[in-house]
Every structure is written in structure tokens, then in C-alpha cells.
Amino acid sequence: MDFTLKVWRQEGPDFKGRLVPYAAKGISADTAFLEMLDIVNERLIEKGEEPIAFDHDCREGICGMCGCVVNGYAHGPEAGTTLCQLHMRHFHDGDTIYIEPFRAKAFPVIRDLVVNRGAFDAIVTAGGYISIRTGSAPDAHAVPVPKENAERAMDAAACIGCGACVASCPNASAMLFTSAKISQFGLLPQGQPERWDRVRSMVSTMERAGFGACTNHGECEATCPKRVSMDFIARMNRDLMLASLK
Amino acid sequence: MALDSKVPEGPLEQKWDSHRFRMKLVNPANKRKYSVIVVGSGLAGASAAATLAELGYEVRCFFYQDSPRRAHSIAAQGGINAAKNYQNDGDSIFRLFYDTVKGGDYRAREANVYRLAQVSNAIIDHCVAQGVPFAREYGGLLDNRSFGGAQVSRTFYARGQTGQQLLLGAYSALMRQVAAGRVKLFPRTEMLDLVVVDGRARGIVTRHMVSGRLESHAADAVVLGTGGYGNVFYLSTNAKGCNATAIWRAHRRGALMANPCFTQIHPTCIPVAGEHQSKLTLMSESLRNDGRIWVPQQKEESRAADKIPESERDYYLERRYPAFGNLVPRDVASRAAKLVCDEGRGVGPKVGDLRLGVYLDFADAFQRLGRGVLDERYGNLFEMYEQITGEDAHDTPMRIYPAIHYTMGGLWVDYNLMSNLPGLFVIGEANFSDHGANRLGASALMQGLADGYFVLPYTIGDYFVTAGNSKVGTDHAEFRAVEAAAKGRVEKLLGIKGKRSPDSFHKQLGKVVWEFCGMGRNDAGLRKALAEIPKIRDEFWQDLRVLGTADTLNQNLEKASRVADFLEFAELMVRDALHRTESCGGHFREESQTPEGEALRDDEHFSFVSAWEWKGVGAEPELHKEPLKFEWCKPSQRSYK
């Protein structure tokens, strides 16, 4: 298959970026999207041009390191798929493909398609944990957890922290990410003691990091490669309201 | 050099307890005066960094990704073992210990493995308390499954994302300590070298991958939790960034490398699709619990899977190993797959002359359990398979083939997880200690967390007290010298200005080691690899092309530096494989097999750990041997029939 790529190139945070066209010819349909970029990069090196910088690591859809906006969609147009799991068979021969970094005030561009998502770590640092010291835990069976709660907590915990929810939201809101962590703990008995402090602290850190508010567009849920549900945002908002009454 | 494993005296089940009592404690008021560098933020690194910080030490944690949550432990799918015996099916600490030593084909240290089994239960308790959403039964208690090679159900799991959930648990513990100001994180920072002063590890030199800045960091101890070296094969199930630089640089500074030829091939990976392939994807081996593995009986079969009648299928694992069937250990399952494919009975597209794939069929399980149950167990794996291959495993059997997945070898450590260099500790996959020649499924997560949460935090304190609190700062001449050498190397890589990309060399190296030091190894092939690798290395240093500069984000520069280390590491791995003329676990020497084609150990000549000492590029390394004695698990020929 042959493609024309229009790739965002930007030398650094203080440089102006621009879309640069590249030809990607002779790509097999079984090639993964990032492997297609590998091939383009190898050809650029041959020609003596600097390769395109992009983040990636596990290439099996779980580390959350990769992610670009492809044809206007974070992680590309396939639902429930990270960019590394997207394969070229989902495109048509001759397509023009636009590749841009995740864009948000809280995610400044580092170079080309690489952005800084350190704000996510800051949100977790503000309370995305259960305070338990190594060695102090009771037996794992001391507290039974209803299966449906465990499953629901797992639905929330499946978040890979890639930032696609932020990139796809018109407000660049991080509420899906934040609410997933809050809900995971909120659904489990172990998370109850710190539940109200957690939601207050994480939400205020999220707001200070420069993310926007949620106005129920639903783009985050639609684009999330792990299909994390927007219901968790409602849950977080309810917890936040209850916390203000405590 | 005499290798002292420092295994405590006394009965097996009392060794760790009595050792913990005998180890010296650091006065609580003094703990903050000791600093620890932790390299790597996976299960081992993050759990160690968090726990050391809880104890009061000053901790700095370095990792090459943008967040500690990205470390490759996250990709582990199947589960984590513990000897809880919640299923009442006869499990015990001793059974977990015994299975692990036997599964490792009697090439692990008994005392280490017993301790691992002992602390396994505390890991589950701790992770549940952290909020890890393990799978549960309707009564609210934890669910277990049986996992490759085990006849008891001792594996705890969180859907097909157990590694992710355990890592996020360790990450949350780490971030709690960041919030408390006890851990400082260094994201996008790569360790380039180890600094050793008067025989003691005193710090590291790093490169910040965005600014290119080289920095020296001094501490009272350095902990490497940097994972395995599977990417020496280029194609593996490791993340693209996984590399051997930290352990290799430590090796060059004097740390011994143990059993590098012990590499694990995982039987259930998605087959290679073509030359563009950049990595291989694992399908959790838990799939073997419900899937049946088969190939057509006749060679060059052209019919689709569903058109081949039962009578013309060969369920070769069930046929050859009636007792364990599809659940034989990984090395046995992998070799059996290679055998049938080499016979010309493989399935899927041709790669070269052969079809390298076998069927993993769920048809029986769908009938027995129904689609709902299977989707609950493996739904995300079916989805992943479809994303990659474009095929739906509900309708047609999966195709799988073995791939490099884990490396049992690593830096040599004693019972305290300290290398032969005082002050250098090595944890998780980066050390060699617990899995012998083959790791059992669901044991990697257990070992990473055992080392980080429950072993290292005790043993490191004893080192601080016994070694004394003498400080060496980054103003020491050795830091300056190591930093200058690191700078020189970066400039050298950029200055070659040849024609070939780092990836092209990496692929070339990977093909050589996979062909000659992969699933089957023999004298002639290994000697060929030993001749080839230095040639590739010479060409690398003459014809490498790295564009761009040192002071920006330069991903090809990072890659080049890692490939340079793999080119040296590979030679040692091949040398080790050549020296060990027996077969054991994942190391299969074709010269040493039983009449049935199983790995044949040579306990008389090879019941030892091979620990290699660096002597220079291209120079023959020196072999040191740590004898292995088996007092509680008598070595036997493994049989899964």
C-alpha cells in the first residue's frame, strides 16, 4: 500500500511546528502503524534526514507510552485501539494520513510527536494511592469484596494513562483519567478511609495543572483505547459533592 | 575469585527468619542519612524504591520512560503465584518451592527459591491492601487459576492484565512517597554507566534524554531493577526500549554476569508476519488452560482449520505428555512447536521455507463453558489477537509460535541480592537468582515484588551498617572520569557518520543470535555466531549513522548506545551457551537430549552457576563457578508424561 503522510515536525518546545509531507510507499497491510513510521524513519536516515520522534514502548497496547492524533482521532480511527495496535489494513491504498501530537495546554510538545504528560503523574501524586505500608497488610481474605465491585473497579483500573482522553476533549479535560483512578479505589473497601480527601486533592491538582472542565461531550469515552466509561466521571462528581459536605 | 553465596546455615524453612534476625539494623534516626539510587521503575524497582522510602532512606529513582507506570512489567498478562492454598488443593510453601526448583531444571539456588515461596503470600496480602482489583468469586473471595506447569491453582490474576495492576499498585506506593518528599523521580533519564570507587558501587552517570545533559549521581547504594536482555534477539516480547545497558555497564565495571545463556522462549506468541515486524506479542499462556494445541497430521496441509477433521489433527502435546497435556512448562511446549513446524506441519503464512505457527483451538472450550465464560477469562486477549492478525479467534483457531520472552540469566547476586561489587544490588529480572534455567509461568511478578517489597529492604540495611557510612561525592575524580568516558562515547557514536541505522545492526544481530542461540543450540552454530558477532560489531563502529545532535531528544542516539551494548553482550551469551554442553530448561543443546528429544542435564559436570568476569572487548572472559547443592529437592530428569 502507498500513503502520503503529513507529519507534525517541531524541533523543541520553543520552536514553531509545521506539517511536513512524506511518502510511505510499499507498506504491507499487516504492518502496524508504528512499524510504518519505523520504515519511514529508516528511509529518512538513508537520505540523511532526521527521523520523526515519537513515543512508544511496549507496542502491545498496555504501557500507554504511544499516542498521536491520526486524521483527527487520538490513536487513530479504530475504536478501542492504541496507536501501536492499529494496523495499516484499516486504511485505504493512496490515503493521505495526518499525524499530529496530542494537543493540550497541560501536555506541552517536547519534539515532533512527543509530548510531556507529567501532569498525570502529578494528579496521581495528589492521592492516587491507598496508604498502606509494606508489611502491614492483613490477610488478603480478611475483607471479602463483592465480585461486581471488584469487576467495576477493574473496569476503571484498566486505564493506561495514555492521555488520549485529554487530546480528544474539546476542553482538554483530564476527568476521565482522574475519575478512573478515584473510582477504582472508591469501589473497594480498602479505598474508603481516604475516599473524600482523595477526590478533593486529586481534582484540585487536576484543575491547577491546566486541564479544562468536563462539559459532557463524551469524546473521551469514544476515543479511550481501554473503553473506560464516562460513568466514572459522574461518580467522581458525586464523590466530590459528598466530600464537600463532610 | 571465590563466590560466596552467603546462604545462611540451618534448616531450609528457618534460613530467612534467622538471617533476618542476624542482620544488623540501621538506627531509625540514621536512616535518612543513607541514600539509595534505584534504576528502573518496574515491579522490582518501584516496589523497592517505595519500601526503602517508607523505611526512611533517601531514594532517587531513574527510568527511561516518561512515567514510572510505563515499565514493561505492565505487559505481564497471566498472573502471580502464591502458596496461599486458598483452593484447598494441596498447595504449600514447600510445594511452590519444589515446583520452582524443578521447573528451573535444578539450576537455581535452593535457599533463594524457598525464601521466594515464603514471602509470596505476603505479596498477595499487600497488593490487595493497595487496591489491586484481583479477580474474585461470587462469595467475594479471591479467585485462582492453574497456570502453565502447575497442578494446583495458585495463580492470582486481574483479567489478562495482572502485570499492569500490580505495577500500578507499586507505582501508587511510589507516588505516595514522592508526595511525602522521600523519593525523587528522574523520568526520561537513562543510566549510562556505574561508578565504582575502591571496589564499592558509589553512583551512576546518566543522560537526560530530552536535554542530553550528562549527570553524576552519588549514593550509598545502587540498586538495578532494569529488567532482562531479551531484546538482544531484536524480535522479542519485550518493550522496544528494554535494554541491557545498565547491567552490561555494571558488568564492564566488575560485576559478574551469571548464566546469560538461560533465556526463555514463550510458547504462545503471535507468529511473525513479515520483515517489517518490530516486536512480537505474547498471548497469555493462561490460554493453554482452555485451548488445545494442534497441527495437521499431514505435511503441507492446505485446508483451512475447520475443514480438517478430528482424525487428521495431531494434538501433539496431549499425545506426547498425557499427564500435563497442553500445560507442560514453557520450554517443553516451545520445543515441541518448533519440532512439528520443522517437520513441515506448521500453519499460517510461509516465512522463509517454513510455516511457523501452530493452532491454539478453543472450540471444545466454547462448547464446554460457553462464550460468556471464555470472554470473561480471555476477552481482552481475543481482542488483541484480532487487532494484530485481523482474525477472530471465536471463529477460527489462533495461530501461535514461540518467541523470546524472559531472561533467567543476569547479574550474579548473593543471598542478600548484592552483586560481587559491594553496594551494587540487583533485583527482579536483572539478576539471575531464582528461576534457574527456566521460569515457571506467573513467577516473574512474584520474584520482582518479593525482591523489591520483602527482601532488599532488609538486606540493604545490613550492608549500610557493616560497610560503614563513608561518603563519596560526585566531586570524586572517578565520577569525573566516568562522566568524561560517557561523553566520549556519545560523541563517538555521533561522529562515525557512516551509512547504516542502529536498527539495521540490531536486526542483523538478532537474526544471528536467534538462529544459533535460540530454541536449539549446537557447537557448530554457536562457534559460527562467535565468529559473526564481532564482525557485526566492527562494522557497527565503522558504518553507523546517527543523525542529529547530543543535546536534544535523539531517539537514534539512544538506540545506538543500547545496540552497542547488545553487540558486546551477545558474545558473552553465546560463549556461555557454548561452554554449557548440557541441556537444561530453556538452554537446549542439541548434543544433549534423551532418546525422546527432551533436554538432558549433566549434573555431574554442570551443577553450578556460571559467573563471567569481564576482561575487555573481544577478550575471553574469565569463568567463575558457584556450585549448586540440592539438599531438599533431589534432581531428577524432568518428566511431564
Side-chain angles (χ1 to χ4, degrees), chain B residues 162-195:
Chain B
T162 316
Q164 179 198 26
Q165 294 310 315
L166 295 176
L167 181 66
L168 294 182
Y171 161 73
S172 71
L174 179 65
M175 299 315 265
R176 178 171 163 250
Q177 295 306 310
V178 170
R182 297 196 192 98
V183 177
K184 184 165 166 28
L185 299 181
F186 292 79
R188 294 194 193 267
T189 306
E190 185 160 39
M191 168 178 160
L192 292 187
D193 215 335
L194 179 74
V195 181

Side-chain angles (χ1 to χ4, degrees), chain A residues 20-154:
Chain A
V20 178
Y22 297 101
K25 292 204 161 107
I27 305 291
S28 133
D30 286 329
T31 309
F33 194 88
L34 297 183
E35 288 171 348
M36 183 272 294
L37 284 183
D38 289 341
I39 293 169
V40 170
N41 273 345
E42 285 292 297
R43 291 175 187 167
L44 285 178
I45 295 171
E46 256 172 54
K47 284 200 286 185
E49 289 178 42
E50 275 198 55
I52 303 155
F54 62 93
D55 263 335
H56 65 100
D57 204 22
C58 77
R59 296 211 178 180
E60 48 188 276
I62 193 74
C63 75
M65 188 85 179
C66 74
C68 305
V69 174
V70 175
N71 289 345
Y73 296 97
H75 290 301
E78 283 299 300
T81 307
T82 56
L83 190 60
C84 62
Q85 297 289 73
L86 178 66
H87 282 65
M88 299 315 291
R89 68 178 77 93
H90 296 295
F91 294 87
H92 301 287
D93 195 17
D95 274 0
T96 297
I97 304 173
Y98 287 82
I99 311 173
E100 299 167 83
F102 283 176
R103 294 188 192 281
K105 188 175 144 203
F107 289 171
V109 171
I110 293 174
R111 187 182 177 90
D112 297 344
L113 304 170
V114 178
V115 299
N116 182 352
R117 288 165 293 192
F120 272 10
D121 281 333
I123 294 172
V124 172
T125 309
Y129 45 78
I130 288 170
S131 298
I132 174 85
R133 207 170 41 252
T134 304
S136 60
D139 185 86
H141 271 176
V143 186
V145 178
K147 185 178 169 70
E148 60 188 58
N149 286 22
E151 294 291 332
R152 197 84 186 106
M154 182 61 217

Side-chain angles (χ1 to χ4, degrees), chain B residues 116-128:
Chain B
L116 176 66
Q118 267 177 311
V119 304
S120 66
N121 291 340
I123 295 171
I124 302 302
D125 298 341
H126 186 57
C127 294
V128 166

Side-chain angles (χ1 to χ4, degrees), chain B residues 192-210:
Chain B
L192 292 187
D193 215 335
L194 179 74
V195 181
V196 180
V197 180
D198 298 329
R200 276 170 73 175
R202 291 297 196 167
I204 59 173
V205 167
T206 60
R207 177 175 183 271
H208 185 246
M209 291 153 69
V210 176

